[in-house]
Amino acid sequence: MNPITIYSEMTPNPRVMKFVANQLLIPSGLSLEFQSAEEAGASHLAQMLFTFPMVEGVFLTENFVSVTITENLDWNDVVTEVREYILGYIQAGNSVVDESLLKANTKEDAVSELGSDEVAENDFPVSEYDEKIKHILNEYVTPAVASDGGAVEFVSFEDGTLNLKLKGACNGCPSSRATLQNGIKGLFDQLLPAVKEIQAV
């Protein structure tokens, strides 16, 4: 087995650094974002990163961690410390996420949002375009924003408006509006003109 390596990579968001591993950190296709240690119950790594006083956000996906720090800090002053901590944590064999807690939290969140003890698929409105939109996002958008340390999540599509959630480095990035309106909107203009407007929610 190859030794574990972690390298750091700047993102378009000056407050966010991307830490990339040479192995899978969490299950493929999954992404998690936390704004506090209290939110990070399913990830001990995220909880520990929040013990650093400058950390304000943690985003986890398949093979990288994006960390957001306070505005008044320069990443050059802390990047080595954070990178070495993440590397040491993984080298020690610690799990990045607790999948049993993750499943429980996901179910509780869904039940809480619906105000019901049962979560039924038809409780969520689905447009005829939803699957097409998700395919375009997964095929073209996800790889591009992942390379910048972020993610874009489908929320809903109604009356020509596509609502997306920006995660990781995309959340709060100064260039995120340009990415939405020029990059992603331009893509949908070509592939699915039914999408008339895109907004972050």
Side-chain angles (χ1 to χ4, degrees):
M1 185 175 179
N2 293 329
I4 299 167
T5 62
I6 298 283
Y7 71 87
S8 58
E9 184 178 296
M10 283 300 300
T11 74
N13 187 336
R15 293 178 58 204
V16 180
M17 184 70 72
K18 177 181 174 183
F19 297 90
V20 185
N22 63 337
Q23 67 175 38
L24 204 63
L25 298 178
I26 66 175
S28 181
L30 185 65
S31 66
L32 301 167
E33 185 168 43
F34 309 108
Q35 303 300 328
S36 68
E38 291 72 28
E39 290 182 8
S43 173
H44 187 248
L45 172 59
Q47 288 180 323
M48 295 308 295
L49 287 171
F50 278 112
T51 65
F52 289 84
M54 69 284 194
V55 172
E56 292 192 342
V58 177
F59 173 73
L60 302 167
T61 191
E62 298 179 4
N63 73 321
F64 70 83
V65 183
S66 290
V67 179
T68 305
I69 59 171
T70 53
E71 288 188 36
N72 59 341
L73 271 182
D74 187 326
W75 260 113
N76 289 325
D77 297 330
V78 295
V79 63
T80 300
E81 180 183 7
V82 176
R83 187 190 70 81
E84 289 182 352
Y85 181 83
I86 295 172
L87 177 61
Y89 180 94
I90 297 170
Q91 285 178 332
N94 297 308
S95 62
V96 175
V97 295
D98 183 326
E99 292 188 51
S100 62
L101 284 175
L102 183 63
K103 290 174 184 175
N105 289 346
T106 301
K107 184 176 180 181
E108 287 172 8
D109 289 345
V111 169
S112 174
E113 288 175 11
L114 289 172
S116 166
D117 290 333
E118 294 184 4
V119 180
E121 189 174 338
N122 59 11
D123 285 327
F124 299 93
V126 178
S127 86
E128 61 179 300
Y129 294 105
D130 283 7
E131 291 307 314
K132 295 177 183 177
I133 291 170
K134 290 176 184 177
H135 173 74
I136 292 170
L137 290 173
N138 290 335
E139 186 75 15
Y140 300 100
V141 179
T142 297
V145 296
S147 68
D148 286 336
V152 174
E153 184 177 281
F154 173 84
V155 176
S156 64
F157 177 68
E158 188 174 1
D159 298 328
T161 299
L162 172 58
N163 296 305
L164 300 174
K165 182 177 181 181
L166 305 182
K167 302 170 77 174
C170 296
N171 186 10
C173 178
S175 61
S176 61
R177 179 175 175 81
T179 299
L180 281 178
Q181 301 307 323
N182 300 331
I184 300 177
K185 179 60 169 62
L187 178 67
F188 277 97
D189 286 345
Q190 298 177 59
L191 301 179
L192 194 62
V195 176
K196 304 298 183 186
E197 183 181 356
I198 298 178
Q199 60 184 21
V201 296

